[in-house]
């Protein structure tokens, strides 16, 4: 009876689901390009030196954070989400397509200027994407979801990066691999830019803001901009920040290897025909996370925190073990890659469902936009600074005395990722107990209002 009641309370319209999936998928396609293919572009066409990737990731994260703080404040102050989402996606596409104009294979004296140019362009792209996706779209998701469906919603949104990777990887990766030409990369960036622009135009006719959302200009813009970062706000909403800290740790672990993943598979593991195994990883990880998220909505999240962390740890260790089969046993290498990849990536998706759904439950009503800023600080800024820094340290240590052009990205990245992931036990121990009580409280409120 309780499950039936929860299902009815968590029901959303088809139009809402279409808008959620449309902007979730297209937005993640853009972020996959930014998070993985800009890194690959830098590594393959500008320089393999890890400092360049670290700068690329760290600066884009910083600008994305500032943009999300601004965008979240604007969403609450105007009471609007759709206009920022749709028109933001339109412009977002043009900033991606602009990368088709970047000169490639620079001479030694021009490497640093090209690194700076690519980083600057990435920052501009991240600003537009963060206002439209991280701020406005995520505020809209908080508006239209509730505690009865958030584990499912956030896990479905969490698989969007994998689906996006499948779209980009399966359809267009050949334009970006080691044999890619200048023309191939240009086609890639133009095609990837068209998608958000077209999605934004479609959204103008499909997406709707939730009824009853009103403008909130009680405080100054600066106050709204800094609201979620104030010590007083943190003190009043402790559990919200504990929830965020859990996925912060998981994201740092993920960022240690994700920016180098394609070059690890292709270059380190020497798997040239990698589309099928990576595709299998994406499909199985996505399917598994959806099944787990449905169980979380039905049974509660409490029993899923510790097993999820353990599974992720095992996945990273199995991925590391692939190094022992390079050039010796291709079958075992693929087994390690697929099994480890499914566990590591699937766990990252489930962690997003666990901690993000819990975080949304603690957001005070009327502050949905203002709390997107702290989310981006802890989900993007901190992980995308510390993760690549850890990675850079490992890569440099394992490539001492090696020329930049000969750098190999080591499997030890997965060992570091595994160790960091274990720190998730600390916030998980707090959240798993407190969130169950909060969930029941919000369910009671929903039942009273329906």
């Amino acid at each position: 009876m309780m499950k039936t009641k929860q299902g009815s309370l968590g029901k959303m319209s088809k139009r809402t689901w279409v808008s959620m999936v449309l902007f979730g998928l297209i937005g993640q396609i853009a972020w996959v390009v930014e998070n993985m293919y800009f890194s690959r572009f830098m590594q393959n066409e500008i320089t393999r030196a890890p400092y360049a990737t670290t700068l690329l990731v760290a600066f884009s994260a910083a600008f994305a954070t500032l943009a999300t703080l601004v965008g979240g404040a604007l969403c609450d102050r105007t009471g609007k989400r759709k206009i920022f989402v749709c028109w933001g996606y339109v412009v977002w596409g043009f900033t991606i397509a602009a990368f088709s104009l970047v000169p490639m294979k620079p001479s030694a004296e021009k490497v640093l200027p090209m690194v700076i140019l690519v980083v600057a362009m990435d920052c501009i792209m991240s600003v537009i994407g963060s206002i439209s996706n991280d701020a406005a779209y995520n505020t809209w998701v908080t508006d239209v979801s509730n505690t009865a469906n958030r584990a499912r919603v956030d896990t479905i949104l969490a698989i969007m990066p994998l689906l996006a990777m499948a779209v980009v990887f399966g359809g267009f990766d050949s334009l970006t691999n080691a044999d890619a030409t200048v023309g191939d990369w240009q086609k890639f960036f133009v095609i990837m830019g068209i998608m958000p622009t077209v999605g934004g135009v479609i959204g103008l006719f499909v997406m709707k803001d939730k009824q009853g959302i009103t403008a909130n200009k009680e405080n100054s813009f600066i106050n709204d901009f800094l609201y979620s970062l104030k010590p007083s706000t943190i003190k009043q909403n402790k559990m919200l920040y504990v929830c965020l800290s859990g996925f912060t740790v998981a994201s740092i672990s993920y960022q240690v290897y994700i920016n180098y993943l394609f070059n690890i598979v292709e270059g380190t593991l020497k798997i040239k025909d990698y589309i099928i195994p990576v595709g299998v990883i994406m499909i199985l990880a996505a399917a598994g996370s959806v099944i787990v998220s449905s169980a979380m909505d039905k049974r509660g999240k409490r029993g899923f925190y510790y097993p999820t962390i353990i599974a992720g740890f095992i996945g990273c260790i199995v991925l590391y073990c692939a190094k022992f089969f390079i050039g010796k046993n291709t079958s075992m290498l693929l087994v390690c890659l697929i099994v480890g990849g499914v566990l590591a990536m699937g766990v990252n998706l489930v962690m997003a469902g666990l901690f993000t759904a819990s975080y949304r439950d603690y957001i005070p009503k009327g502050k949905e936009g203002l709390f997107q800023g702290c989310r981006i600080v802890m989900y993007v800024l901190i992980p995308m600074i510390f993760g690549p820094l850890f990675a850079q340290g490992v890569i440099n240590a394992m490539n001492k005395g090696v020329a930049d052009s000969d750098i190999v990205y080591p499997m030890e990245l997965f060992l570091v990722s595994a160790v960091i992931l274990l720190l998730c036990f600390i916030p998980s121990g707090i959240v798993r107990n407190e969130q169950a009580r909060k969930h029941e409280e919000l369910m009671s409120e929903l039942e009273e209002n329906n």
Side-chain angles (χ1 to χ4, degrees), residues 333-400:
L333 188 149
L334 288 173
V335 168
C336 289
L337 175 63
I338 293 173
V339 173
V342 169
L343 286 174
M345 289 199 162
V347 160
N348 188 262
L349 303 181
V350 175
M351 292 289 257
L354 282 169
F355 287 110
T356 306
S358 299
Y359 140 80
R360 292 190 200 277
D361 283 349
Y362 284 99
I363 295 178
K365 291 182 180 179
K367 304 290 187 182
E368 291 82 2
L370 299 186
F371 276 97
Q372 299 309 315
C374 63
R375 183 185 64 83
I376 208 71
V377 167
M378 299 181 75
Y379 278 21
V380 175
L381 181 62
I382 295 174
M384 290 178 70
I385 289 177
F386 286 98
L389 281 175
F390 287 134
Q392 183 175 334
V394 174
I395 293 167
N396 287 337
M398 301 299 294
N399 288 273
K400 284 184 179 180

Side-chain angles (χ1 to χ4, degrees), residues 49-120:
Y51 83 87
T53 300
T54 300
L55 288 176
L56 183 75
V57 175
F59 271 92
S60 67
F63 276 83
T65 300
L66 290 173
T68 305
L69 288 165
V70 171
L74 288 173
C75 284
D76 279 350
R77 292 180 69 80
T78 61
K80 298 181 184 299
R81 287 70 158 120
K82 175 181 175 177
I83 188 172
F84 294 109
V85 176
C86 295
W87 287 111
Y89 272 54
V90 170
V91 178
W92 201 7
F94 285 102
T95 66
I96 295 172
F99 276 79
S100 63
L101 305 175
V102 175
M104 299 194 307
K105 302 293 185 184
S107 56
E109 66 274 10
K110 292 183 179 179
V111 167
L112 184 58
M114 285 300 100
V115 169
I116 294 172
L117 174 63
V118 173
V119 169

Side-chain angles (χ1 to χ4, degrees), residues 138-358:
N138 274 284
T139 300
W140 178 82
V141 170
T142 302
D143 291 340
V144 300
S145 63
N146 59 52
T147 195
N149 57 31
R150 280 178 179 152
R152 182 168 68 257
V153 166
D154 279 305
T155 303
I156 288 174
L157 292 182
I159 72 169
M160 291 302 165
L162 282 189
L163 294 180
M165 284 174 63
V167 171
V168 180
F169 186 76
F172 309 99
D173 185 74
S174 61
L175 298 174
T176 72
N177 60 26
D179 299 322
T181 65
V182 172
D184 290 336
W185 274 105
Q186 289 174 336
K187 289 177 186 176
F188 176 78
F189 287 128
V190 170
I191 293 169
M192 293 301 104
I194 288 172
M195 292 185 187
T197 297
V198 172
V201 173
I202 294 173
L204 290 170
F205 300 96
V206 176
M207 190 180 206
K208 281 188 175 182
D209 281 337
K210 183 180 179 180
Q211 292 183 347
I213 303 296
T214 57
N216 184 352
K217 297 182 180 180
E218 293 179 2
N219 300 306
S220 67
F221 181 82
I222 293 298
N223 184 79
D224 286 348
F225 176 81
L226 297 173
Y227 180 80
S228 66
L229 305 179
K230 291 180 178 180
S232 58
T233 303
I234 296 173
K235 186 177 180 179
Q236 292 169 7
N237 301 274
K238 291 179 182 178
M239 280 304 303
L240 185 151
Y241 292 87
V242 173
C243 293
L244 290 176
S245 69
F247 196 60
T248 299
V249 176
S251 294
I252 291 173
S253 171
Y254 185 68
Q255 285 294 329
V256 168
Y257 65 82
I258 193 61
N259 297 293
Y260 300 97
L261 185 60
F262 285 155
N263 279 334
I264 287 174
V265 175
E266 185 178 24
T268 307
L269 297 181
K270 304 185 185 306
I271 302 175
K272 298 304 179 184
D273 299 322
Y274 52 79
I275 290 182
I276 293 178
V278 173
V280 170
I281 291 171
M282 293 175 184
I283 292 171
L284 292 180
S289 64
V290 170
I291 293 170
V292 173
S293 71
S294 297
M296 287 193 294
D297 273 337
K298 291 178 180 178
R299 302 177 185 178
K301 307 177 188 72
R302 191 176 189 278
F304 290 86
Y305 289 93
Y306 293 167
T308 299
I309 296 169
I310 293 170
F313 177 83
I314 293 172
C316 288
I317 297 300
V318 171
L319 280 167
Y320 167 72
C321 290
K323 71 172 289 184
F324 300 110
F325 301 103
I326 297 173
K328 298 176 182 178
N329 190 325
T330 302
S331 296
M332 283 302 299
L333 188 149
L334 288 173
V335 168
C336 289
L337 175 63
I338 293 173
V339 173
V342 169
L343 286 174
M345 289 199 162
V347 160
N348 188 262
L349 303 181
V350 175
M351 292 289 257
L354 282 169
F355 287 110
T356 306
S358 299

